[in-house]
Amino acid sequence: MGYRILTQKTTLPSFNYLVVPLNKYSKKDLIEKNDELSLIFLINQLQNSSEFHALKDIPKEYTEHLTENTPDYLLKIIGKVIAVLLHKLNIPDEEVYEVTDQITRRKFSMMFDNFQAYDVQETRRVSRE
């Protein structure tokens, strides 16, 4: 009675990477793309929390398109990605939750309305001084 060794031929996946020069695109260029990825790019371009509030000027057609055409599974992914980007800007957890909740409930147009633009870390630093 012997042992048989089963072998399986495996191939490594081949990946191609595309570097997107995000700073090359203006806010207007990204809005014209009118898709979910452009929303993530818009938020990734932000340098501070006050710039996020400025996104409320996005055309209504843009947010309506996202509201009507984005599948549920993609809404969850977008919410998570945007949460990471907002945390990078030192947005308080409550604010991040409100924004991502608006996304998952398909309320893109309201996403920017109630946002308070302040940096928690900066506020703490100033109060310590």
Side-chain angles (χ1 to χ4, degrees), residues 5-11:
I5 298 176
L6 298 176
T7 60
Q8 180 180 11
K9 184 177 179 182
T10 60
T11 57

Side-chain angles (χ1 to χ4, degrees), residues 67 72 75 97-108 110 114:
T67 300
D72 288 336
L75 288 175
Y97 173 76
E98 286 181 31
V99 170
T100 56
D101 184 54
Q102 297 295 337
I103 292 169
T104 56
R105 290 190 302 129
R106 297 183 178 277
K107 306 280 185 189
F108 284 93
M110 297 171 59
N114 300 323

Side-chain angles (χ1 to χ4, degrees), residues 31-53:
I31 289 170
E32 287 175 359
K33 300 280 184 205
N34 204 24
D35 62 9
E36 296 83 4
L37 190 57
S38 65
L39 176 64
I40 291 172
F41 283 177
L42 280 168
I43 292 179
N44 192 43
Q45 282 185 338
L46 303 178
Q47 298 298 312
N48 58 53
S49 60
S50 60
E51 290 181 7
F52 185 84
H53 193 64

Side-chain angles (χ1 to χ4, degrees), residues 48-53 86 89-95 114-124:
N48 58 53
S49 60
S50 60
E51 290 181 7
F52 185 84
H53 193 64
L86 293 177
L89 295 173
N90 292 321
I91 306 299
D93 289 341
E94 310 84 53
E95 298 279 337
N114 300 323
F115 185 77
Q116 300 295 318
Y118 66 94
D119 182 332
V120 169
Q121 303 302 329
E122 180 64 16
T123 303
R124 287 178 184 159

Side-chain angles (χ1 to χ4, degrees), residues 20-22 24-42 45 58-59 61-63 65-66 69:
V20 178
L22 190 54
K24 178 179 134 183
Y25 296 98
S26 69
K27 181 177 166 182
K28 182 182 175 206
D29 292 335
L30 292 171
I31 289 170
E32 287 175 359
K33 300 280 184 205
N34 204 24
D35 62 9
E36 296 83 4
L37 190 57
S38 65
L39 176 64
I40 291 172
F41 283 177
L42 280 168
Q45 282 185 338
I58 288 177
E61 298 80 29
Y62 179 81
T63 55
H65 175 78
L66 293 174
N69 298 306

